[in-house]
């Protein structure tokens, strides 16, 4: 289920190749980093990254995945948010990412193994999601 953003599209971002030679090329990112970047592009909830990871990371415990994600966060490319409700102008129901989590809340959320699993209820409100930062949108991954 894609998250509909305030900006309109499936994720609301415009993704275009960046011609800036200072931007990292896709081959500069590991396969695992590319999986997290893809997850942020899709604004999928955190468990969705497992489907984009290769084994053994796809089934690894969160403790092995957190350092990979933190490296992208610390480079300023990805934000971690919560899924919050959003009502589009049409009046329907939608979802969007919250403002980025503060560092302490971020670390607590990533340490919670439940955030790395799809909710049994199927309700994504409150789930952890990844988004690209403005700088992350420039990465040619």
């Amino acid at each position: 289920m894609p998250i509909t953003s305030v900006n309109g599209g499936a994720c609301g971002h415009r993704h275009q190749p960046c011609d800036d030679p200072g931007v990292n090329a896709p081959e500069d990112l590991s396969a695992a980093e590319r999986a997290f970047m893809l997850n942020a592009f899709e604004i999928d909830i955190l468990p969705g990254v497992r489907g984009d990871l290769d084994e053994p990371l796809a089934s690894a415990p969160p403790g092995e995945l957190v350092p990979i994600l933190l490296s992208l966060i610390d480079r300023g490319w990805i934000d971690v948010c919560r899924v919050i409700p959003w009502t589009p102008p049409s009046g329907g129901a939608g979802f969007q990412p919250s403002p980025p989590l503060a560092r302490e809340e971020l670390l607590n959320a990533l340490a919670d193994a439940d955030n790395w699993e799809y909710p049994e209820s199927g309700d994504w409100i409150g789930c952890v999601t990844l988004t690209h930062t403005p700088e992350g949108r420039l990465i040619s991954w």
Side-chain angles (χ1 to χ4, degrees):
M1 171 181 353
I3 298 172
T4 305
S5 79
V6 175
N7 296 326
C11 72
H13 300 156
R14 290 182 300 274
H15 301 280
Q16 301 172 6
C18 182
D19 295 327
D20 181 348
V23 173
N24 289 342
E27 58 271 8
D28 293 338
L29 297 174
S30 70
E33 289 171 324
R34 284 193 302 275
F36 278 102
M37 292 296 286
L38 176 62
N39 190 264
F41 169 80
E42 295 172 341
I43 312 180
D44 196 358
I45 61 173
L46 188 58
V49 77
R50 291 190 182 276
D52 298 315
L53 290 168
D54 295 326
E55 287 296 347
L57 287 176
S59 56
E64 291 183 35
L65 301 176
V66 169
I68 300 165
L69 177 55
L70 284 177
S71 74
L72 296 167
I73 293 166
D74 291 342
R75 285 185 242 176
W77 296 345
I78 289 180
D79 281 327
V80 176
C81 308
R82 295 264 180 201
V83 176
I84 59 174
W86 173 68
T87 304
S90 65
F95 307 98
Q96 68 181 359
S98 70
L101 301 180
R103 188 67 176 203
E104 184 175 332
E105 186 180 358
L106 161 79
L107 295 174
N108 289 336
L110 296 179
D112 183 349
D114 288 343
N115 287 322
W116 293 85
E117 301 295 331
Y118 283 102
E120 289 184 26
S121 69
D123 182 8
W124 287 18
I125 299 296
C127 290
V128 172
T129 189
L130 307 179
T131 64
H132 286 151
T133 65
E135 294 82 13
R137 290 183 204 126
L138 299 176
I139 303 302
S140 175
W141 51 274

